[in-house]
Amino acid sequence: GAGQAPGALLRSRVTQAHMHARSLASSSTPSPGSAYARFWAWTTRPTPEFLRFSQAWWGEQAFRCGVFAVTGSSSLLLLRPVLRTALQEPEGSLMQGPNTYRAASLLFLSPAYAVTLCAVGTAAGRHVFFASMGAKILGRFMPRSVSQRILCASLSLSLSLS
């Protein structure tokens, strides 16, 4: 909305994504008591609002940084061997080249990072937040019409709201 503060607008979008993810969970799970349904309810629950700079707020920020760190390490660990094999460059790196390795890294690493971020964030219990971050990253690499067809529904909603 035009009259809303940026923080209120973000909370509104996250709430909309959360409600959409919950509706997907309830419509796509065969039995509400299943392990999948319990996991999905846990990972899509609303993140509590903490007073800025409080101990709980810092704890949440540290948790998020940890998820970003695990995601970065994991996506590099998974993508580097694939790129080296596909490009037949066993010694390729961003610093030392060759240029084909540099270009392929830039082209494939960010989308792989976004997908890994969504998966790790979901496993960490913060699907809605990390899905919206992944959607922002993927939104920079592909048109919305393409990304909304290949992404999970809550990630698509996050992308359409941004």
Side-chain angles (χ1 to χ4, degrees), residues 9-157:
L9 183 59
L10 178 62
R11 279 189 296 280
S12 166
R13 288 181 176 169
V14 168
T15 301
Q16 288 174 346
H18 172 260
M19 291 183 336
H20 184 69
R22 287 282 215 191
S23 71
L24 286 173
S26 64
S27 66
S28 64
T29 55
S31 84
S34 71
Y36 172 76
R38 287 191 312 272
F39 172 76
W40 192 250
W42 171 74
T43 196
T44 59
R45 73 192 184 286
T47 304
E49 297 275 330
F50 298 113
L51 182 63
R52 193 175 181 112
F53 302 119
S54 67
Q55 186 174 2
W57 183 85
W58 283 111
E60 179 65 19
Q61 301 313 309
F63 179 79
R64 289 178 181 180
C65 285
V67 171
F68 283 116
V70 168
T71 300
S73 300
S74 300
S75 59
L76 277 175
L77 209 93
L78 296 171
L79 192 63
R80 259 193 204 146
V82 171
L83 284 178
R84 287 180 177 160
T85 301
L87 298 173
Q88 298 175 352
E89 296 289 345
E91 301 299 319
S93 75
L94 282 175
M95 295 297 286
Q96 297 174 350
N99 287 333
T100 54
Y101 184 87
R102 289 182 181 129
S105 290
L106 295 174
L107 185 64
F108 295 112
L109 186 58
S110 290
Y113 177 84
V115 171
T116 307
L117 180 63
C118 187
V120 172
T122 299
R126 301 288 194 280
H127 174 77
V128 175
F129 175 78
F130 289 107
S132 68
M133 296 303 291
K136 288 177 187 177
I137 294 168
L138 284 178
R140 294 181 181 106
F141 286 91
M142 60 185 70
R144 284 182 192 224
S145 60
V146 173
S147 63
Q148 288 180 343
R149 279 187 271 144
I150 64 170
L151 300 174
C152 72
S154 60
L155 203 58
S156 280
L157 177 68

